[in-house]
Amino acid sequence: MEADLKTGFKDKANKILGYHPEDAKLSKSYIAVAFIALLVGGFLGLLQGLNRAGLLELPTWFNYYQVLTAHGLILILVLTAFFTIGYFYAALSHNLGGLLPKVRKLAWIGFFVKLVGFVLAVIPILMNEASVMYTFYPPMAAHPVFYIGLALIVVGVWLCCIGAFIQVANWRKNHKGQHVPILSYFATGVFVLLFFALMFVAVEVLVMILPWTLGWVDTINVMVARTLFWAFGHTLVNIWYLTAVSAWYVVVPKVIGGKRWSDLLTRVVIIALVIMNITGGFHHQIIDPGINELVKFMHVFMSLAIGFPSLMTAFALFAVFERTSRRKGGKGLIGWWKKMPWGDVRFLAPFIAMLAFIPAGAGGIVQSTNQLNQVVHNTMWVVGHFHLTLGMSVVMTFFGISYWLVPYISNRVLTPQINRIGVIQTWIWTIGMIFMSGAMHYVGLLGSPRRTSYTTYGDHATALGWDPYLMLLAVGGTLLIVGVILQVYAVFNMMFFAPKGDTEFPIAEEEDNATKTPYWTERWGLWIVIMLIVVAMAYVIPLTEFIVNAPPGSPPFKTW
C-alpha cells in the first residue's frame, strides 16, 4: 500500500514537472554520446594543436591529416547533432505532454543509424583512406565506405526530423488555435532547417560522390559538389546558433529570475533565420573562380541579412538582463550588473557565450566581404573564427544547458560542488579559447595557412615569425583539454552519481505587458514555401550554369 502511494506521488510529481522517464532515457543517451564525442574530439584537437606548434611529431600511422579529419567529423557532426537532438527532444517531451511512442521509436532508430554511420565514416579515417577533412571537397576522394557512413548519418537525422514534425503536428491537432510552446517552436525551426539543408549534402554524396568513388563514373563536377556542400554547411552553422539562441531567449531569463522578452519578437527571429539561412552558402566560396560576381554579391547580402535577427536578439537579451537586475535593486548605469548571478554556471556559461558572439559575428562579416576574404580565406584566421563561433558561442551554451538538462533527464540535482566545478571549467575554457582563437586569428593575418601540419618552409623568416603565436595556440589547446575533462566529469557525475531529486526544466514566462503574438506566426507551411522560393532564387541559376556550362570533370585524387 505504501509503495503504491509512493509510486502514485512520484507519477504526479513527474506529470507536474513534465518529466517522462522513457523520453528522458532517449535524451540521456543522445547527451551521453555527445559528451563522449567531446572527450575524444578534444584529445584529437590537443594533438593537432601541439603538432601545429611544432611540439609534437605525430606517427606516420596516425598523421596530422587523419587527426584533423577525425577531429572535425567527431566534434562538428557527432557532438552538435547528438546534443541538439537530445536537447530538443527533451523540450518536445516536456512542452507537448510526452513523446508519442512512434516518435520515440523513430528517434531511437535514428540514434542507432547515426552511430553505425559514424563508425563507418571513422574506420576509413583510421585506415588513412579518408583524410579529406570535414568538408570532404572533391577532387580529393575518400574510400566509398566513408561516404556510405555520411549517408547513414543523414538518414538518421532525417528520422529525428520527421519524428519532431509528427510530434508538433499531433499537438497542434489537439490544441487548435493555440501557439506551439516557445521551445518547441525553436525545435520546429531547427528541424525544418536540418531537413532541407541535408537534402543538398545527400544529393552531393549519393548522386555525385559515391558513384564517382565506386568507379561508376569517371569524373565529378567539382563546382556543383562544393556548392551543394556549402548550401548544407553554412546552414549547419546557423542551426547550432539557433539552438544556442533558444536557451538564451527562454532558459537564461528563468535562471536569473526574470521574464522572457516579447514572444512575438522571438518567433519573428526564428522565422527570419529559417527563411534566410540556406541562401548564404556561397559566401564560403566567395573567392572561388567560376561563380558570377552578381551571384556572389547576392549571397553576400543574404549572409549579412542574418545579422538583423542577431541584433534583435542582442537587444532583447540585454534588455532582459537590465530589467531583471533593476527589479532586484540594481542601480546606476552599470551597478545593476552586480545583481547578476555570476556564481551560477547555468547563467555564466551562456552569458560568456553571448559575449563571444560579438567578435565571432564581426569575423563572419569580414569573411562575407570579398576584399577582406581575399586576405584571410585560406589562413588560420578562418580556423580561429570557427572556434570562436562553435567553440565559444555554441559549445559553451551547450555546457550551460547541460547543468540543468542532465539533472532533469537523470532525475537528479545540481549540487553546489558540481556548480563550482562548472564555474571553474567555464573560466578555464574561456581563457583557453581566448589564447587559442586569438592566436589563430592573428597568425592568420600574418599569412599562416590552415589545414597544414607544422613546417618552417625551409626556415623561411616569415614562417619562423609565426612560431610564438603557434605556441600560444598550443597553450590554449592544453587549457581547453583541461576544460573538456572537467566538463565531461561534471556531466557524467550529474547523470549517474549526483543525489536523486527533481530538477526544474527552466522556461521563462513572457513579460506581463508584452504584445500579443498573432497566429500568423504559426503558419509554418507559408514560411517553408517562402524559404524554398528564396533558396530557388539563390541556387537555381548558378547551379544550372555550373551544369550546362560545366568545366571538365575531375577524376578522383588521393593526395595523402
Side-chain angles (χ1 to χ4, degrees):
M1 181 70 177
E2 186 179 345
D4 290 341
L5 285 171
K6 284 183 178 178
T7 303
F9 177 77
K10 186 175 181 180
D11 290 343
K12 286 181 180 178
N14 287 343
K15 189 174 181 180
I16 293 168
L17 290 166
Y19 178 83
H20 304 274
E22 287 299 310
D23 302 345
K25 186 187 296 183
L26 172 69
S27 287
K28 195 172 174 180
S29 300
Y30 270 92
I31 299 296
V33 171
F35 281 98
I36 291 169
L38 174 69
L39 186 63
V40 176
F43 274 104
L44 291 173
L46 177 64
L47 294 179
Q48 274 182 261
L50 295 177
N51 177 266
R52 190 61 202 262
L55 299 174
L56 175 69
E57 185 68 31
L58 289 170
T60 55
W61 52 268
F62 197 45
N63 62 59
Y64 179 84
Y65 300 99
Q66 287 173 278
V67 172
L68 181 57
T69 305
H71 172 75
L73 186 75
I74 290 170
L75 290 186
I76 295 174
L77 293 182
V78 185
L79 167 63
T80 59
F82 275 82
F83 188 94
T84 297
I85 293 168
Y87 164 58
F88 276 128
Y89 263 78
L92 290 169
S93 171
H94 175 80
N95 287 168
L96 308 183
L99 299 176
L100 298 170
K102 59 184 174 183
V103 170
R104 192 163 51 242
K105 186 176 181 180
L106 278 172
W108 275 118
I109 294 171
F111 177 84
F112 290 109
V113 169
K114 286 196 295 291
L115 279 184
V116 171
F118 287 124
V119 170
L120 289 178
V122 166
I123 288 172
I125 296 172
L126 296 176
M127 296 172 64
N128 201 23
E129 292 292 334
S131 295
V132 290
M133 292 166 277
Y134 156 68
T135 49
F136 52 89
Y137 281 159
M140 290 197 300
H143 193 281
V145 171
F146 175 79
Y147 302 109
I148 293 170
L150 293 181
L152 288 175
I153 294 167
V154 171
V155 171
V157 176
W158 265 340
L159 290 173
C160 294
C161 293
I162 293 167
F165 299 151
I166 292 171
Q167 184 71 35
V168 173
N170 177 76
W171 187 91
R172 293 185 65 180
K173 180 181 176 183
N174 296 322
H175 298 80
K176 291 189 181 298
Q178 296 183 35
H179 289 286
V180 173
I182 189 61
L183 260 185
S184 295
Y185 196 88
F186 268 106
T188 305
V190 163
F191 285 118
V192 165
L193 280 175
L194 266 174
F195 184 84
F196 286 100
L198 285 168
M199 289 184 177
F200 291 94
V201 78
V203 170
E204 181 196 8
V205 170
L206 293 173
V207 178
M208 298 183 68
I209 295 182
L210 258 179
W212 177 61
T213 55
L214 288 168
W216 299 347
V217 295
D218 295 329
T219 62
I220 192 170
N221 188 320
V222 173
M223 283 301 300
V224 172
R226 285 172 67 101
T227 302
L228 291 173
F229 176 85
W230 280 118
F232 153 77
H234 170 75
T235 309
L236 185 61
V237 173
N238 287 290
I239 286 168
W240 307 328
Y241 171 59
L242 189 55
T243 304
V245 165
S246 72
W248 298 355
Y249 268 110
V250 181
V251 174
V252 173
K254 179 71 172 179
V255 169
I256 66 175
K259 294 192 174 182
R260 184 161 46 89
W261 190 258
S262 166
D263 184 75
L264 173 58
L265 180 143
T266 307
R267 292 175 196 258
V268 168
V269 165
I270 297 166
I271 292 167
L273 286 170
V274 168
I275 289 174
M276 295 189 294
N277 236 312
I278 297 176
T279 54
F282 268 120
H283 90 255
H284 291 268
Q285 300 170 257
I286 201 166
I287 67 169
D288 280 13
I291 304 173
N292 186 287
E293 283 189 2
L294 288 175
V295 171
K296 290 183 179 181
F297 281 127
M298 177 174 66
H299 279 261
V300 165
F301 172 77
M302 290 174 170
S303 299
L304 296 178
I306 297 173
F308 288 102
S310 297
L311 291 172
M312 293 162 68
T313 297
F315 168 78
L317 293 172
F318 282 92
V320 168
F321 297 153
E322 182 174 2
R323 284 188 173 196
T324 303
S325 297
R326 291 198 186 283
R327 275 199 294 264
K328 294 180 177 181
K331 299 185 184 300
L333 186 62
I334 58 173
W336 55 272
W337 283 80
K338 296 176 183 176
K339 297 296 181 180
M340 306 288 272
W342 300 110
D344 189 338
V345 68
R346 299 171 304 162
F347 164 74
L348 180 66
F351 180 81
I352 294 176
M354 293 177 209
L355 290 183
F357 193 70
I358 297 171
I365 292 172
V366 166
Q367 287 160 220
S368 298
T369 308
N370 184 49
Q371 293 88 338
L372 295 175
N373 197 291
Q374 297 276 355
V375 177
V376 301
H377 184 76
N378 269 322
T379 72
M380 286 290 284
W381 163 285
V382 176
V383 187
H385 166 73
F386 192 73
H387 281 83
L388 200 56
T389 49
L390 177 58
M392 284 288 281
S393 296
V394 173
V395 170
M396 278 194 69
T397 302
F398 288 0
F399 291 169
I401 292 170
S402 71
Y403 286 97
W404 58 263
L405 178 61
V406 173
Y408 172 80
I409 60 179
S410 305
N411 231 359
R412 296 178 186 273
V413 295
L414 172 63
T415 63
Q417 293 81 6
I418 292 297
N419 180 72
R420 196 175 305 116
I421 287 173
V423 170
I424 293 168
Q425 188 275 342
T426 298
W427 286 115
I428 290 174
W429 188 270
T430 301
I431 295 166
M433 196 60 78
I434 288 171
F435 273 112
M436 190 176 80
S437 179
M440 287 174 169
H441 276 88
Y442 193 76
V443 80
L445 291 176
L446 297 178
S448 181
R450 58 176 171 153
R451 293 176 163 175
T452 60
S453 58
Y454 177 75
T455 176
T456 63
Y457 295 93
D459 287 338
H460 192 282
T462 299
L464 293 174
W466 303 332
D467 284 359
Y469 306 102
L470 295 176
M471 287 294 178
L472 287 177
L473 185 159
V475 169
T478 304
L479 288 172
L480 288 172
I481 197 61
V482 174
V484 166
I485 293 168
L486 287 175
Q487 180 63 33
V488 172
Y489 168 77
V491 164
F492 284 98
N493 181 282
M494 292 185 290
M495 199 173 277
F496 298 109
F497 303 108
K500 288 281 188 178
D502 296 323
T503 293
E504 179 188 24
F505 196 115
I507 298 178
E509 296 179 2
E510 191 182 17
E511 289 277 2
D512 297 330
N513 58 349
T515 305
K516 186 179 179 182
T517 305
Y519 197 71
W520 54 257
T521 57
E522 297 293 333
R523 303 192 185 284
W524 276 103
L526 175 62
W527 310 133
I528 291 171
V529 168
I530 293 174
M531 178 194 75
L532 293 176
I533 291 170
V534 174
V535 169
M537 288 169 56
Y539 282 100
V540 168
I541 292 174
L543 281 174
T544 302
E545 176 72 16
F546 298 157
I547 294 168
V548 173
N549 298 312
S554 175
F557 283 91
K558 184 176 178 181
T559 59
W560 61 92

